[in-house]
Amino acid sequence: MTRTVTTRRLTGLKPTGEPHLGILLGAIQPMVRDQYTSDATVFLADLHALTAAHEPRTLRETTLRHATVLLAAGLDPDRTVFYVQSQVPDHAELHFLLERTAARGRAAYPVLQASDILLHDTAEVPVGADQRPRVALTRDIAMRFNQRYGPTFVVPEPVTPTVAARVMDLANPTVKMGQTTSSASGAIGLLDPPALVTRKLSRAVTETDGIIAYDPAARPGVSNLLEILAACVGGTPVEIGTALRGYGDLRRATTEAVLGLLGPLRARFETLARDPGYVRQVLAEGAERARSRTAETVFRAKRAIGVLA
Ligand code: TRP
C-alpha cells in the first residue's frame, strides 16, 4: 500500500460515555477520510479515563464498544494504526520520564497527553479549540527536552480538523452535543433505534419565526440542524438552507439524512459486536504495530536522559 502524503497525524479519543452523532460528524468521519491521505494513528485513551470515578467493568466494555463503533464507521486498521492506549506500555513509560525531567509541577493528565503525542513522532494533531492548549504544552515539553538533552522529539503542530462540524445539543443548542447529562433527548446515540432518532429530531429546539438562515449565534437551533444535515449529505449549511421551505422540511430532511447515515453503521456494528474476539484481535495487532514505533522513541528518550537504555 502506498501512501500519498506521509504527514503523521495522531488522534486520541477518550472512551467514556455513549458515542453520539457529534463525535461521528466532528471527529470520526474526518478521521476516516484522513486515513487515505495521511499517515494516521488513532488510539483509545483509556488511561485518561481513569481520572474520573469509574466502574472497572464499564470502562472495559465502553472501550470495546468505542473500538467497535470506530471500525463500524469505516476506520480501516490496515490504513490506520489503531489501538488501545493501555495495551502499549510505552505511553506509561514515556509519561514517567517526562514527569521526572521536563514537566516540573505540571498536572499528570496533560503530561500523559504530551507523551501520547511525542511517542509517535507526530507531526500534526487534529484538535478543536479546547485541546489546543494541550498541544501547546506538548510543544513546550518537546522543545525544552530537545534543548536540554539533544534532538529527541518531533515538535508537533495543532491542526484544525478537516470537517469542523460542530454539533450542538438538540434540546439546548448553545452547548456541544454530549456535554450535558441533563438532556438525554439532546444527543443522538450512534446506536439509537431509528424511531428514537426520529423522535429526538422531531423535538429538536428551533427558533420560532420560521426563517431558515445559517447563523449559529443568533439562530442556534436551526443552524444546528443545517450543520448536521450538511455534514451528513455534503455541501455547506448556507447552501443547503436556501433549498428548504420551512422547519417541517428541515426536520424531515435532517431526519432522513441522519437515518441514512446511521443505518449502515448500526448494521456493521451489530455484525462486529457478534464477534468481540475479532475486535480484540484487531486491537492487539494495532498495539503490536504501535509498539514497534513507540519502543524506539522511548529508547531514544532514555538514552538522551542518561539512564541505561
Ligand atoms: N484529551 C483528549 C480528550 O479529552 C484525549 C487525548 C488523550 C488525546 N491523548 C491525546 C487527543 C493525544 C489528542 C492527542 O478528548
Side-chain angles (χ1 to χ4, degrees):
M1 205 182 314
T2 47
R3 294 180 192 277
T4 39
V5 181
T6 52
T7 310
R8 183 165 293 163
R9 284 198 165 179
L10 175 81
T11 307
L13 286 180
K14 216 173 359 167
T16 52
E18 190 56 28
H20 55 76
L21 189 66
I23 294 173
L24 180 69
L25 298 178
I28 302 177
Q29 283 198 332
M31 197 185 285
V32 167
R33 213 164 304 148
D34 270 3
Q35 70 187 338
Y36 299 106
T37 51
S38 68
D39 172 355
T41 300
V42 173
F43 70 98
L44 292 173
D46 60 342
L47 297 175
H48 282 87
L50 297 179
T51 353
H54 72 280
E55 185 63 47
R57 195 157 69 95
T58 309
L59 175 61
R60 197 149 41 229
E61 283 169 3
T62 310
T63 302
L64 205 55
R65 192 172 169 83
H66 273 77
T68 310
V69 163
L70 287 170
L71 294 172
L75 199 78
D76 177 351
D78 288 330
R79 280 264 167 196
T80 298
V81 175
F82 176 46
Y83 69 97
V84 175
Q85 187 185 30
S86 61
Q87 296 192 326
V88 176
D90 295 324
H91 284 268
E93 184 160 16
L94 187 59
H95 177 219
F96 181 84
L97 297 175
L98 293 182
E99 285 259 293
R100 297 292 92 192
T101 55
R104 207 144 305 168
R106 301 286 190 182
Y109 187 112
V111 181
L112 178 57
Q113 186 160 346
S115 313
D116 300 338
I117 296 168
L118 299 179
L119 260 183
H120 287 277
D121 294 330
T122 305
E124 296 182 344
V125 191
V127 281
D130 56 326
Q131 294 284 315
R132 279 190 169 245
R134 295 280 169 76
V135 182
L137 172 67
T138 305
R139 290 173 56 82
D140 199 49
I141 289 177
M143 288 186 288
R144 278 163 194 258
F145 191 105
N146 289 347
Q147 205 165 42
R148 182 140 181 223
Y149 301 113
T152 307
F153 296 124
V154 172
V155 181
E157 301 278 348
V159 294
T160 309
T162 334
V163 176
R166 243 175 93 73
V167 178
M168 311 303 275
D169 188 286
L170 298 175
N172 183 5
T174 53
V175 299
K176 266 167 83 174
M177 185 177 282
Q179 281 187 349
T180 48
T181 42
S182 55
S183 80
S185 58
I188 294 179
L190 295 181
L191 305 169
D192 281 355
L196 183 57
V197 172
T198 304
R199 189 161 68 236
K200 286 175 178 175
L201 281 164
S202 73
R203 292 183 188 160
V205 166
T206 57
E207 286 59 53
T208 52
D209 57 11
I211 296 172
I212 294 185
Y214 183 70
D215 182 348
R219 304 179 162 278
V222 164
S223 300
N224 190 32
L225 293 181
L226 287 171
E227 180 115 23
I228 292 171
L229 178 54
C232 289
V233 300
T236 70
V238 174
E239 256 166 43
I240 282 172
T242 58
L244 293 164
R245 296 280 154 265
Y247 293 168
D249 213 13
L250 172 61
R251 275 183 213 282
R252 260 190 308 279
T254 309
T255 304
E256 197 181 310
V258 171
L259 290 175
L261 185 71
L262 296 189
L265 188 147
R266 251 185 109 213
R268 283 194 296 270
F269 178 88
E270 274 158 20
T271 307
L272 287 165
R274 262 179 248 128
D275 192 359
Y278 166 78
V279 176
R280 280 176 179 267
Q281 179 61 27
V282 166
L283 293 171
E285 285 166 17
E288 195 63 44
R289 280 174 74 193
R291 240 180 274 138
S292 62
R293 180 197 293 164
T294 58
E296 204 265 330
T297 316
V298 170
F299 175 75
R300 245 191 288 139
K302 287 170 101 173
R303 206 181 36 190
I305 289 174
V307 296
L308 280 184

